[in-house]
């Protein structure tokens, strides 16, 4: 059981990070974009005062395909949120505030129910009440913030920095610096209601558990809600809380049905506190991702890849030494002997730490590349230089691309960051265009660039056969006064580079997910193949690129 407990601490943070990477990111700031159903004619409509990119006319049936892809992506996002919530619920179950209450609560049902059937029924109602309470919390978050606000959170600098601070506070709470608790009076009132018996009494028993255990569950719930909110899914907070509550509720019902299983549970002790502190280290590591998002979006150029990796290495070294018993917190007793689970987990953590070290010299670190700052922010990079290519700020023409001072091309590819400039070059050299809608906070974009684009065949097509135009939908750089406009699509003011390209993607492709790859002929702007999002299968992605190139060649023979 203790092995399972420690594994859940690792799984929890992995889920909290990976459910973001398992679905396409939604980075468009919805305070500037408003979605409506559009037809082909409306999608091509451009405001007279808008310094808009040239029109793109999607081929017949492409919009339907785009909408279908978006629906599939949303479904994957919700499943990922649910799984992360479920794992987080099991992690919360192993916290010192909840685990000791499990046998006590189950014993109450079995003794007061008189019969096994009644005990199971009471435990089931208790479990359903837990689910209802946490799902209502998720719904409340959605109602308070609204769908548009949830979408804009992922790119808002103030919110990202607030999330960073929030997760650091949660981590320190797990370390024992202080406890985050709800008012004692609230717990007392709920507890008095629980004594009333019946269905209402069981509901208030569940509510009392939620309030009393908040010092342990609060940081986990907060992390899940932050991640779900920043994914931009309307149902995200509710689905996350459903998974969380389901994991909490199942054991109470299960042990009420089979009370003999309680004998197999380990006794409460110091290992519960170890689980809590381990989660604190992992929360601290996750917090750095939000700080990195702010640094990238506002071009502070402080929190680059090396700094991020150094901080993660330090955090996981401390975690490894903690598991070995070399580091103790004030509330803990010395470890007299190292248990097998702690030894194995410390080996895993320290091995992961050593895995990150080559990243300081530019190693791609593909397994965690989605969460690291872009490779281009690396000052000392032996890996990218081995791929060849030409940096965008030092092209063969001797003229730097527009915005190359604030954006950096991945893998030394010759990438344009302005639509008009890239289109003019594509027409000049006679190559198809690949529009890459991306973002600073897009974890899938970074993963594609680190794990798929370096593939030998894929890199050759990107470098030699295509003109790449990367459009950042979440950049906060202000547009010159003469380039600002009011969007004819949403009616919103477009003031930043991110506003411009997010409005472009929404109005032309009815899409708001990143990465989003559109390949078309620059001569007549006809889309060559249906656009796609993230695809981590290098062979499939190569076939996608090659089919567009073949279509372009056949068209111009």
């Amino acid at each position: 059981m203790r092995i399972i407990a420690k594994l859940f601490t690792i799984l929890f943070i992995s889920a909290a990070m990976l459910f973001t990477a398992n679905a396409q990111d939604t980075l468009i700031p919805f305070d500037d974009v408003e979605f409506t159903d559009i037809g082909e004619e409306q999608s091509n409509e451009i405001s007279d005062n808008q310094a808009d990119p040239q029109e793109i006319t999607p081929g017949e049936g492409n919009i339907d395909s785009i909408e279908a892809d978006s629906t599939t992506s949303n479904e994957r996002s919700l499943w990922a949120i649910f799984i992360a919530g479920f794992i987080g619920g099991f992690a919360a179950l192993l916290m010192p505030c909840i685990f000791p209450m499990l046998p006590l609560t189950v014993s109450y049902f079995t003794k007061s129910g008189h019969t096994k059937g009644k005990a199971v029924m009471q435990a089931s109602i208790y479990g359903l009440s837990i689910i209802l309470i946490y799902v209502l919390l998720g719904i409340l978050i959605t109602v308070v913030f609204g769908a548009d606000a949830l979408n804009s959170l992922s790119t808002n600098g103030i919110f990202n920095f607030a999330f960073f601070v929030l997760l650091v506070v949660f981590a320190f709470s797990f370390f024992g610096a202080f406890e985050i608790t709800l008012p004692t009076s609230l717990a007392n009132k709920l507890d008095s209601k629980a004594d009333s018996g019946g269905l209402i009494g069981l509901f208030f028993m569940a509510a009392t558990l939620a309030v009393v255990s908040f010092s342990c569950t609060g940081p986990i719930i907060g992390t899940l809600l932050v991640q779900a909110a920043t994914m931009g899914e309307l149902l995200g907070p509710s689905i996350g809380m459903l998974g969380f509550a389901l994991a909490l509720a199942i054991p109470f019902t299960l042990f009420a049905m089979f009370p003999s299983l309680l004998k197999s549970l380990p006794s409460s002790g110091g290992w519960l506190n170890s689980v809590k502190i381990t989660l604190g280290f992992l929360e601290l590591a996750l917090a750095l991702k939000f700080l990195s998002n702010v640094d990238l979006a506002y071009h502070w150029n402080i929190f680059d890849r090396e700094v991020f990796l150094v901080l993660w290495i330090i955090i996981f070294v401390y975690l490894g030494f903690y598991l070995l018993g070399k580091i103790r917190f004030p509330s803990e007793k010395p470890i007299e002997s190292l248990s097998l689970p702690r030894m194995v987990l410390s080996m895993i953590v320290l091995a992961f730490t050593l895995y990150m070290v080559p990243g300081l010299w530019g190693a791609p670190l593909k397994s965690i590349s989605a969460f690291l700052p872009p490779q281009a922010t690396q000052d000392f990079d032996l890996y990218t230089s081995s791929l060849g290519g030409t940096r965008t700020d030092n092209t063969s023409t001797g003229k730097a691309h527009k915005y190359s001072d604030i954006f950096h091309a991945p893998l030394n590819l010759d990438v344009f960051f302005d639509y008009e400039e890239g289109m003019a070059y594509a027409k000049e050299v006679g190559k198809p265009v690949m529009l890459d809608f991306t973002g600073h906070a897009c974890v899938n974009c970074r993963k594609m660039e680190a794990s798929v684009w370096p593939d030998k065949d894929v890199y050759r097509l990107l470098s030699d056969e295509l003109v790449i135009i990367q459009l950042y939908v979440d950049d906060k750089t202000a547009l010159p006064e003469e380039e600002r406009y009011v969007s004819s699509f949403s009616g919103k003011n477009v003031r930043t580079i991110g506003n411009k390209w997010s409005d472009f993607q929404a109005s032309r492709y009815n899409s708001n997910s990143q990465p989003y790859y559109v390949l078309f002929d620059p001569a007549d702007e006809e889309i060559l193949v249906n656009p796609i999002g993230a695809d981590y299968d290098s062979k499939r992605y190569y076939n996608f690129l090659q089919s567009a190139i073949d279509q372009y060649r056949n068209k111009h023979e």
Side-chain angles (χ1 to χ4, degrees), residues 87-99:
I87 294 175
F90 272 117
L93 186 68
L94 300 172
M95 292 285 102
C97 306
I98 295 181
F99 188 81

Side-chain angles (χ1 to χ4, degrees), residues 9 106 116 125 137 150 154 190 218 239 301 333 386 444 484:
T9 63
V106 172
K116 182 177 180 180
I125 295 173
L137 174 62
L150 289 178
S154 64
L190 292 174
I239 295 297
N301 298 322
K333 297 179 180 179
S386 68
N444 288 332
R484 300 180 184 182

Side-chain angles (χ1 to χ4, degrees), residues 1 99 255 259-267:
M1 185 67 183
F99 188 81
F255 286 117
S260 60
L261 292 177
L262 286 171
K263 298 178 181 178
S264 64
L265 291 178
S267 58

Side-chain angles (χ1 to χ4, degrees), residues 26-35 148-156 472-476 490 492-493 496-503 512 514:
T26 301
L27 298 177
I28 290 181
F30 278 64
D31 54 332
D32 299 298
V33 177
E34 184 177 293
F35 284 97
D148 290 353
L150 289 178
N151 280 288
S152 65
L153 290 181
S154 64
T155 61
N156 187 288
Y472 281 80
V473 302
D474 61 348
D475 190 74
K476 304 303 180 183
S490 65
K492 304 293 184 179
N493 291 319
T496 67
I497 292 176
N499 294 159
K500 179 179 180 179
W501 300 130
S502 64
D503 180 65
N512 68 330
Q514 294 80 40

Side-chain angles (χ1 to χ4, degrees), residues 64-108:
D64 293 336
S65 174
I66 292 168
E67 291 175 344
D69 290 343
S70 179
T71 300
T72 302
S73 174
N74 291 341
E75 291 176 354
R76 290 200 303 266
S77 298
L78 292 176
W79 272 110
I81 292 171
F82 175 82
I83 293 171
F86 194 79
I87 294 175
F90 272 117
L93 186 68
L94 300 172
M95 292 285 102
C97 306
I98 295 181
F99 188 81
M101 298 177 69
L102 184 57
L104 295 176
T105 306
V106 172
S107 297
Y108 168 81

Side-chain angles (χ1 to χ4, degrees), residues 167-228:
L167 292 182
V168 170
V169 170
F170 287 160
F172 286 174
S173 173
F174 275 157
F175 290 152
F178 48 82
E179 281 196 354
I180 303 174
T181 59
L182 294 176
T184 306
S185 58
L186 177 61
N188 293 335
K189 288 180 181 179
L190 292 174
D191 190 44
S192 64
K193 295 285 185 181
D195 294 334
S196 60
L199 295 177
I200 299 298
L202 290 172
F203 176 82
F204 280 105
M205 275 186 65
T208 302
L209 173 70
V211 172
V212 171
S213 64
F214 187 79
S215 62
C216 291
T217 61
I220 297 176
I221 293 172
T223 302
L224 290 172
L225 288 176
V226 165
Q227 288 283 0

Side-chain angles (χ1 to χ4, degrees), residues 537-555:
D537 187 307
S538 299
K539 186 175 181 180
R540 270 204 310 266
Y541 190 72
Y542 168 82
N543 291 335
F544 162 71
L545 298 179
Q546 188 62 59
S547 63
I549 294 169
D550 292 341
Q551 182 74 12
Y552 177 81
R553 289 172 178 171
N554 293 336
K555 181 179 175 182

Side-chain angles (χ1 to χ4, degrees), residues 382-435:
L382 298 177
Y383 170 73
T384 302
S385 59
S386 68
L387 297 173
T390 304
R391 292 189 64 89
T392 310
D393 54 2
N394 187 26
T395 64
S396 57
T397 61
K399 181 181 179 182
H401 294 334
K402 187 176 182 180
Y403 299 131
S404 63
D405 57 328
I406 57 176
F407 301 125
H408 303 287
L411 308 176
N412 277 352
L413 290 166
D414 190 10
V415 175
F416 292 85
F417 305 106
D418 180 73
Y419 184 86
E420 291 87 351
E421 184 183 25
M423 285 291 291
Y425 179 77
K427 291 176 181 178
E428 178 184 342
V429 298
K431 292 181 180 180
V433 169
M434 185 179 84
L435 276 185

